[in-house]
Amino acid sequence: MAPLPTTPFSSTSSPTASPSRSLLHSNSREWDVVVQRNVKSSILLLLVVSTVFVFSVVYTSRGFVAAATGEAISQRPLVTAEELADGPTVVAEDNVAAERQSPAAGISLPSANPSAAAVSPPSTAEQTETGDQSKYILYALTVTVSTYTSKFCDDACVHSLTIFSCVGEVGIQVEEKCDMSMGKWVREPKGPVYTNLTCPTLPDLKNCQKYGKDPGHLFWRWQPDGCDLPRFAPERFLDVVRGKRLAFIGDSLARNQMESLLCLLSQAETPVNAYADAFDKFRTWHFPLHDFTLTVTWTEFYAHAVPVVDADGKPTASFDIHLDRLNTNWTTRLPELDYAVISGGNWFFRVNYLWEGGRRVGCVNCRGEAGLTDFGIAYAVRRVVRAALEGIARCRDCKPGLVTFLRTYTPDHFEHGSWFNGGYCNRTRPLEEREVGLGHIGWELRRVQSEEVARVRETMTTGSRRFGVLDVTKAMMLRADGHPGGHYDKRWVRNASDCLHWCMPGPVDMWNEMLLRRLAEISPPPVVR
């Protein structure tokens, strides 16, 4: 008999293989196939059961829901008071003792979570940790599925497991956060969505290119840390707000934002001028194709305020601000709104007097007038913001689903003077962070505003009304190059420099990019089939 071969041969190719050996090899191969199929089926079943188990745990976990929908106070998606009713910690009732003095000293550049020290619900850390763990569970499951798919699956198996891989990716995406308040300005070669020639409603006072301003300030976009702020899409915005009414409530910077939004939206639909009061402080525009109404409502302080008169009975630049009364110019218009964007702060830098209970109780910037306590700007801003937010939360006639955003304080950039005494703003590019004063009062006003939004969320019974923050303070502190300066129609104001308002197009358009992102998060447009 010939010796057995020392090198392996298959049972079908070996000329010396016996029938019994061939049968043994054949049975072994069939058995391997059966085992492999059983293993694949078992692993697939295990993955299916594991997926169902993970998602049942994740989606019944209050911590995951909070983490998936919550962000830092300045940028988390909007929530109702009921969603935070389980044991929140209230902001210290009055962080006002320190605010009665000038807050300029000792203020550092805020972190990505500006309110961590001020507002700390007991469950926040636990919720965030739970959300992160859930994210990693989903990610691990996705990786496991992908590995199994690539190594063991046939076509049918790949198709089945892809479903679970996609589910895991959706879960991760829900958990992603975008703190739009922190970031930097980066070059944008595309330029703005509109130009001074394509916006039919652009006012001359903001038309900087028409009056010779260098166009360099147009080619920048705000890049948040760790995520992107999408370029403004007029059609998407109009789809989101179809059939709604939105109002900007505040001073001339609220009007600046309304004018910017008009220009942006006019690239998709021409607005109709529906109303203007005699002093041009209240305006209404309508977009008939989308049944969307856009308004601006004037108020310097939210609170009721009247000019202080001099000895001749003429109004001065100062105001008596009644901290316990809201200005009815804007409160009477609230019931018709679906969305409100409130803003302010710059009028508090005047010498103003604070009233409560029908008597003068103090002042702001009064420099120690006899018998009066100077409470400081931050204290006054906190009081009126609190009153405004509480007024909205308690509004009896307002729509149950009213959504309110507070846009944070934005500073001026005057250098070597002010409006009429030689001040100017002739920068040609955004500032570097090191060029922004760490002691700027803007950081303190931003903190106060964010804290008060957190407070109304946590202490007021608001039903389905929601409150959020459009935190633009840092972004705008860096844009000393984005103001008109002396580039405006001098027929309106002579020998002045405007380093407070914003050119259009310009950095102000970013406010509405941020607004669109927040609106789309809470009111996604209907899917057209």
Side-chain angles (χ1 to χ4, degrees), residues 46-313:
L46 179 61
L47 286 171
V48 171
V49 173
S50 300
T51 302
V52 173
F53 174 77
V54 169
F55 276 93
S56 65
V57 172
V58 167
Y59 282 93
T60 55
S61 168
R62 179 162 81 71
F64 175 76
V65 173
T69 58
E71 294 184 25
I73 284 175
S74 65
Q75 291 302 327
R76 63 186 176 188
L78 306 183
V79 294
T80 63
E82 285 80 4
E83 292 170 335
L84 292 172
D86 299 329
T89 298
V90 179
V91 179
E93 176 61 22
D94 283 298
N95 294 334
V96 295
E99 290 166 7
R100 294 184 179 184
Q101 303 299 324
S102 174
I107 302 171
S108 61
L109 189 70
S111 66
N113 185 358
S115 56
V119 184
S120 302
S123 59
T124 299
E126 179 182 354
Q127 291 170 352
T128 302
E129 181 180 358
T130 305
D132 289 342
Q133 289 173 350
S134 302
K135 175 179 68 176
Y136 295 135
I137 290 172
L138 292 174
Y139 177 74
L141 179 61
T142 301
V143 171
T144 302
V145 169
S146 300
T147 303
Y148 174 79
T149 301
S150 61
K151 287 188 176 181
F152 300 105
C153 280
D154 54 23
D155 291 342
C157 179
V158 170
H159 177 73
S160 299
L161 288 179
T162 300
I163 297 174
F164 298 100
S165 178
C166 291
V167 172
E169 289 171 3
V170 170
I172 294 171
Q173 186 173 0
V174 170
E175 174 59 16
E176 286 180 353
K177 297 186 179 75
C178 179
D179 181 0
M180 294 183 286
S181 68
M182 296 292 111
K184 60 184 178 182
W185 291 95
V186 298
R187 289 286 187 181
E188 175 50 78
K190 291 181 180 179
V193 173
Y194 64 95
T195 72
N196 65 318
L197 300 178
T198 63
C199 175
T201 59
L202 199 159
D204 263 11
L205 288 174
K206 316 293 174 32
N207 193 346
C208 304
Q209 276 65 60
K210 180 178 178 180
Y211 295 97
K213 184 177 178 68
D214 184 283
H217 70 284
L218 300 175
F219 298 93
W220 299 89
R221 66 177 175 86
W222 179 245
Q223 174 64 64
D225 294 336
C227 57
D228 284 317
L229 180 59
R231 186 176 176 87
F232 190 90
E235 297 84 357
R236 177 168 172 77
F237 191 101
L238 288 169
D239 284 341
V240 169
V241 297
R242 185 183 297 272
K244 305 294 186 180
R245 297 181 66 94
L246 183 152
F248 293 102
I249 300 170
D251 53 26
S252 56
L253 287 173
R255 183 188 183 97
N256 208 164
Q257 185 172 3
M258 185 274 294
E259 292 166 339
S260 164
L261 185 57
L262 272 179
C263 284
L264 289 164
L265 297 181
S266 68
Q267 307 309 295
E269 181 184 352
T270 302
V272 176
N273 187 357
Y275 173 77
D277 75 310
F279 299 98
D280 204 29
K281 291 182 179 293
F282 302 88
R283 296 290 300 269
T284 300
W285 298 82
H286 188 60
F287 293 80
L289 296 181
H290 294 82
D291 190 24
F292 170 56
T293 302
L294 176 63
T295 69
V296 63
T297 299
W298 177 270
T299 179
E300 300 95 338
F301 306 101
Y302 309 136
H304 176 70
V306 293
V308 175
V309 297
D310 60 18
D312 298 326

